Each structure stands twice: as C-alpha cells, then as structure tokens.
Amino acid sequence: ACTTEVVTVLRSEIDALSKTVDLNSPRSTDPNLARFVAATDLLSAHRSYEAAEALLHHLLVVKPGGIAKRALVGAMARSPNAALVDGLLEALEASSEPQALSNAIEVLGLRREPLAIEPLKAMVGPGNNPTVRKAAIISMGRIGDISCIDGLLPSLEETEQAEETSVALL
C-alpha cells in the first residue's frame, strides 16, 4: 500500500546489504542478513513496476551469491508482482550471460510459470551453456508440463545432465 518512494529506499538498502552479506559469509543470526531478507521480502510484496525493476536488476546485474541469492530468489518466487514475470521472460531472450540467465530460469521454475516453457525448450539442447541447460531442465521439471518430456529425453543420455533430467521427468 506504500508509494514507490519505499521502493527507492529498499533498493538502496538491498544494494548496500548484499555487498556486506557477500563479503562476510554470514551466519543465519547475522543482523545484516536479517535486514537483507526483510528488505527483499518487502520489495517483492510491492506490486509496482519499479519494485520489479529493482529485483530484476539485483538478480541479473548485481548477482549476489550464497545465502543472499537464496533469499532474493525465494522472495522473487513468492512475489505477486506481474511485471516481474514479464521482466524474467524478457531476460530469457535478452541475456547472454550464463549466470544471469540461469538465475532468471531458476526463478521462473520456482514460480512454475507456464509462459516460460517454450523459451526453456530451446535452452535444453546440447549446444547451450551447461549451467543454463541444467537450470532449464530443473525448471521444466518444476513447471511440470507434459509437453516438455520429448525435449528432456535426449538429456538422459548425457552424464552431466542425466541426474537433473531424471528428477525433472519424475
């Protein structure tokens, strides 16, 4: 129910805190980590375009690691913000950086987003980056659309992707 002014404050908060959290390898009781988790949760609950843009920037450009990434991905997966889904789908088409792409794929899979199925089918082929392929296979399994089965079967023959593919097919 807040205006977009709160988005600006929360965005600067998570930008500052993610650097601190990444540098310190915090425990679950670290106050900075708790503030980061709270800020990302509050930002993900805001339904504005600006909030979606802030979360996408953090996921695709800042790319936090470790526990900060887990908190961000979890908040984005639970977010009711429709603009967030549009931004994630655009990232599948526009991003060429494997880590950013796999982050977007992971969030779409956790959201069980059916609109992501067609772009993900194109990413499970053998010519793609292994990290991106793995994320796409896992996300296709999470989405659970039966039309994905034929695209996943060839990956069973590859030792690097066989485990994730088996779980995705289940």
Side-chain angles (χ1 to χ4, degrees):
C2 297
T3 65
T4 56
E5 290 175 21
V6 74
V7 172
T8 307
V9 172
L10 290 171
R11 183 179 186 159
S12 62
E13 184 77 4
I14 65 170
D15 284 342
L17 287 169
S18 74
K19 292 173 188 163
T20 304
V21 169
D22 273 347
L23 291 174
N24 293 338
S25 302
R27 298 178 188 262
S28 59
T29 57
D30 185 346
N32 287 325
L33 178 61
R35 287 176 48 208
F36 179 83
V37 170
T40 55
D41 283 345
L42 287 169
L43 194 55
S44 71
H46 203 276
R47 294 178 185 259
S48 69
Y49 173 79
E50 291 82 4
E53 188 178 70
L55 290 166
L56 288 166
H57 170 78
H58 209 71
L59 181 75
L60 303 173
V61 177
V62 177
K63 296 180 279 218
I67 199 161
K69 177 188 172 193
R70 299 279 19 114
L72 179 64
V73 166
M76 292 176 78
R78 296 184 304 273
S79 176
N81 193 327
L84 190 57
V85 174
D86 291 337
L88 290 165
L89 291 171
E90 286 176 20
L92 293 185
E93 296 172 7
S95 182
S96 61
E97 201 278 311
Q99 184 183 359
L101 194 53
S102 64
N103 287 348
I105 291 169
E106 181 181 5
V107 173
L108 287 165
L110 288 169
R111 292 179 67 93
R112 292 173 170 67
E113 186 56 54
L115 294 173
I117 291 171
E118 291 306 316
L120 291 177
K121 284 180 181 179
M123 295 178 184
V124 296
N128 293 307
N129 179 290
T131 304
V132 172
R133 288 183 68 204
K134 180 179 177 180
I137 289 168
I138 292 168
S139 290
M140 287 171 71
R142 286 181 176 147
I143 294 169
D145 190 296
I146 198 162
S147 70
C148 297
I149 292 174
D150 291 336
L152 290 174
L153 289 176
S155 298
L156 281 172
E157 303 299 323
E158 300 173 36
T159 55
E160 308 86 37
Q161 306 296 341
E163 182 180 344
E164 288 80 15
T165 304
S166 299
V167 173
L169 287 169
L170 287 174

